[in-house]
Amino acid sequence: MNQQLKTIAFILCVIFLHLEGYAQVNADGTIDTGDKYENAKLEYLESPEVVEERFGWWSDARFGMFIHWGLYAQDGCFWKGQDGRSEHMMRNLQIPIAEYEKIATEFNPEKFNADEWAEIAKNAGMKYLVITSKHHDGFAMFNSPSHDYNILKQTPWKRDPIKELNEACKKQGIKFGVYYSLGRDWHHPQCNSVDGWRSNVWDFPEEEKKDYSIYFSEKVKPQITELITQYKPAIIWFDTPELITKEQSTELLGLIRKLDPDCIVNQRVGNKLGDYAVREQKIPKGGEPQPWETCMTISKIWGYHKEDHVWKSADSLVHSLVDITSKGGNLLLNVGPTGEGVIRQPSVELLKEMGEWLQVNGEAVYGTTSSPVGKFDWGRCTKRVENGNTTLYFSVFNWPANGKLVIPGITNDVIKSSLIATDKSLETFYSEDGLTIELPKAAPDKLASVIKIEITGTIN
Ligand code: JFZ
């Protein structure tokens, strides 16, 4: 090409990019993902083989930290002496934008220490972390050049916790992800919602005149682009798809795949797209055909509420983690740091206890798959297949008074059986009821004792 043609082509490109804004699909329907998959169709990027490649680390990880942190934490979900009840404080108290923005002018979490947070997650045995980059209040907790309503521009603190935490996680070998509220944004005049009751109708009452697509192109696409290009998160955890159309969900997914085809996206990108299903506060009775995750609070409320002192027990948290793993899912356990930037002591202690349990028994959790023998009144089973043989892990929550456990449905030869906590081997024998394991009188671990049984061959 001669110089003139090059210049014309360049100008055309610039105009095209400008008009298209955040175009991601080429004329022939392919997405330019760079080196990895080159020009691939979205269908290919969503096919089982690519999904599996994207998912390897996630399925092995099993346990992550969720962090809800935003302006609502400033006074523990209180505003002018009123109880805002949760991170939904702005809507619960119908706080006008002009008033809510004032919280930012005082947001100065001087005790925030990204390394400390990442270390708490690491010591808990967590393998990934997802933090709110923008919750329903619309406030960006990251550097967002496209929108001034962000932590660097509005607060005296002027730091970027998303950047700092991303770096801290890298140091600890923890995967880093961001939460993004997709269909609720109480700061954007065009963001409407299902039946209007979830959107900001106190500042912008004319719900029927709102146009989600304006908000979508003005805010969502630029900010998602910023998040990926600035931090390259391993996960984008969308929330509340609300009114997003199938075309918009597809476009958004295409944009993400183009910018980073390795980025995992949860199904709240809307319209059943995305990589994995999310369950909230609940553990399903059985597994799911697709990858799935339960997100759960460690206390009562997602964001920091100063009167929330209802903590789950270490016992129930470990049981939940094992229960979820035995059904092939992941646990994303939430903490809500204070306005000062502190993860409260009771959460730190609970997480430490979980980490200590995982230090000993982690092999029953990480990289294992769902139970081939169902669940039991006394506990749960997970499985690992290696070199043609199978290891079954039985996590016992209720230690049997009669000194034995019976596992129906197995006939494979037992190679070895032991208690992980004590490394003592155990006697086993087959009877017509199944495999019987003889146990010591007392449980070696007060949270859950894990029995490890290696058998020949495989079992489904
Ligand atoms: C959402 C948020 O509103 C909440 O503040 C928090 O961030 C949580 C993780 O997600 O709440 C929801 C979203 C979906 C359901 C319930 C609550 N749901 O599908 O049942």
Side-chain angles (χ1 to χ4, degrees):
M1 247 196 285
N2 66 35
Q3 197 52 44
Q4 236 172 350
L5 269 177
K6 267 191 196 164
T7 313
I8 292 169
F10 177 75
I11 290 169
L12 283 176
C13 264
V14 170
I15 291 171
F16 180 74
L17 282 174
H18 183 74
L19 288 177
E20 282 293 289
Y22 295 85
Q24 50 287 328
V25 182
N26 298 325
D28 63 353
T30 60
I31 295 175
D32 181 7
T33 62
D35 293 347
K36 189 139 184 187
Y37 304 106
E38 293 179 348
N39 286 336
K41 282 222 162 35
L42 189 59
E43 295 90 77
Y44 173 67
L45 296 173
E46 307 313 300
S47 68
E49 56 181 297
V50 176
V51 169
E52 205 171 297
E53 214 174 299
R54 197 152 52 228
F55 253 84
W57 73 264
W58 192 90
S59 304
D60 286 349
R62 291 292 176 235
F63 189 27
M65 178 182 269
F66 207 2
I67 300 180
H68 274 67
W69 201 43
L71 297 179
Y72 42 80
Q74 171 75 335
D75 190 22
C77 293
F78 272 69
W79 179 72
K80 297 195 171 171
Q82 299 172 72
D83 184 352
R85 304 206 303 278
S86 73
E87 66 285 350
H88 294 213
M89 174 174 90
M90 181 177 177
R91 198 179 74 85
N92 289 343
L93 299 177
Q94 313 257 299
I95 304 173
I97 287 177
E99 286 290 326
Y100 197 82
E101 283 178 340
K102 287 185 191 158
I103 303 174
T105 65
E106 288 163 20
F107 194 74
N108 195 19
E110 278 172 344
K111 294 190 181 155
F112 172 82
N113 181 333
D115 288 321
E116 238 168 68
W117 288 14
E119 206 178 302
I120 291 169
K122 176 82 179 184
N123 291 340
M126 290 157 155
K127 305 290 187 193
Y128 62 108
L129 184 153
V130 178
I131 181 167
T132 45
S133 68
K134 187 202 81 169
H135 204 262
H136 307 341
D137 60 10
F139 187 71
M141 294 292 283
F142 60 100
N143 175 25
S144 179
S146 66
H147 281 78
D148 275 357
Y149 195 47
N150 71 62
I151 194 158
L152 287 150
K153 278 272 163 70
Q154 305 293 332
T155 71
W157 196 48
K158 294 187 177 39
R159 273 162 62 182
D160 181 348
I162 303 298
K163 173 172 179 268
E164 292 183 30
L165 207 52
N166 186 25
E167 284 160 7
C169 283
K170 224 167 246 139
K171 278 191 243 161
Q172 296 286 356
I174 291 174
K175 298 272 187 183
F176 180 76
V178 290
Y179 165 112
Y180 190 88
S181 175
L182 189 54
R184 295 188 206 176
D185 188 308
W186 300 324
H187 196 265
H188 197 285
Q190 297 294 342
C191 187
N192 46 1
S193 74
V194 181
D195 301 330
W197 72 273
R198 288 158 174 165
S199 52
N200 183 344
V201 286
W202 56 98
D203 285 295
F204 314 113
E206 294 185 294
E207 183 76 4
E208 61 297 336
K209 290 203 183 144
K210 294 176 190 173
D211 182 349
Y212 184 85
S213 70
I214 297 179
Y215 154 73
F216 183 69
S217 21
E218 259 184 31
K219 194 157 181 182
V220 177
K221 289 197 279 175
Q223 288 198 325
I224 292 302
T225 304
E226 287 163 358
L227 285 166
I228 299 178
T229 49
Q230 291 174 165
Y231 316 108
K232 205 175 190 292
I235 302 170
I236 298 184
W237 205 104
F238 284 111
D239 198 10
T240 53
E242 303 278 336
L243 292 175
I244 194 167
T245 63
K246 177 103 191 242
E247 287 68 37
Q248 287 162 336
S249 294
T250 309
E251 192 186 345
L252 188 55
L253 193 62
L255 173 65
I256 297 167
R257 296 292 183 245
K258 173 181 167 165
L259 295 170
D260 180 8
D262 294 328
C263 182
I264 291 175
V265 179
N266 73 344
Q267 271 182 5
R268 285 186 185 167
V269 68
N271 300 290
K272 304 238 158 67
L273 295 167
D275 294 316
Y276 71 90
V278 176
R279 297 294 188 103
E280 202 161 316
Q281 298 286 27
K282 289 196 194 93
I283 302 174
K285 283 209 168 69
E288 305 239 2
Q290 69 214 321
W292 64 277
E293 173 187 79
T294 284
C295 58
M296 190 183 270
T297 52
I298 200 165
S299 55
K300 224 169 125 185
I301 296 166
W302 298 99
Y304 165 57
H305 186 289
K306 62 185 178 187
E307 289 174 1
D308 178 7
H309 305 294
V310 184
W311 305 97
K312 296 202 165 91
S313 66
D315 212 58
S316 85
L317 289 171
V318 165
H319 294 187
S320 290
L321 175 60
V322 174
D323 186 20
I324 288 167
T325 308
S326 79
K327 295 165 183 169
N330 282 12
L331 169 63
L332 189 64
L333 183 59
N334 181 78
V335 296
T338 67
E340 287 189 306
V342 173
I343 299 179
R344 289 189 288 169
Q345 204 49 38
S347 344
V348 175
E349 265 146 42
L350 286 167
L351 293 174
K352 193 165 152 258
E353 267 190 84
M354 291 185 84
E356 282 161 5
W357 184 84
L358 281 162
Q359 266 297 310
V360 177
N361 302 291
E363 62 168 287
V365 172
Y366 306 121
T368 61
T369 54
S370 57
S371 168
V373 291
K375 50 187 187 183
F376 306 92
D377 294 338
W378 45 260
R380 293 290 181 273
C381 171
T382 55
K383 157 181 133 169
R384 182 192 310 281
V385 178
E386 247 163 4
N387 310 322
N389 288 332
T390 303
T391 303
L392 298 176
Y393 298 95
F394 295 97
S395 299
V396 186
F397 308 152
N398 303 308
W399 200 250
N402 67 355
K404 60 184 179 204
L405 293 176
V406 182
I407 322 286
I410 312 180
T411 51
N412 314 46
D413 285 339
V414 174
I415 302 166
K416 210 179 144 193
S417 51
S418 61
L419 258 168
I420 292 188
T422 56
D423 207 21
K424 284 244 166 69
S425 59
L426 299 169
E427 292 296 322
T428 62
F429 60 89
Y430 275 106
S431 69
E432 55 193 37
D433 297 333
L435 178 69
T436 301
I437 309 163
E438 299 198 321
L439 301 174
K441 275 218 169 56
D445 195 307
K446 69 177 172 36
L447 296 177
S449 304
V450 180
I451 294 155
K452 178 179 174 181
I453 311 269
E454 296 170 63
I455 56 178
T456 57
T458 52
I459 168 174
N460 290 310

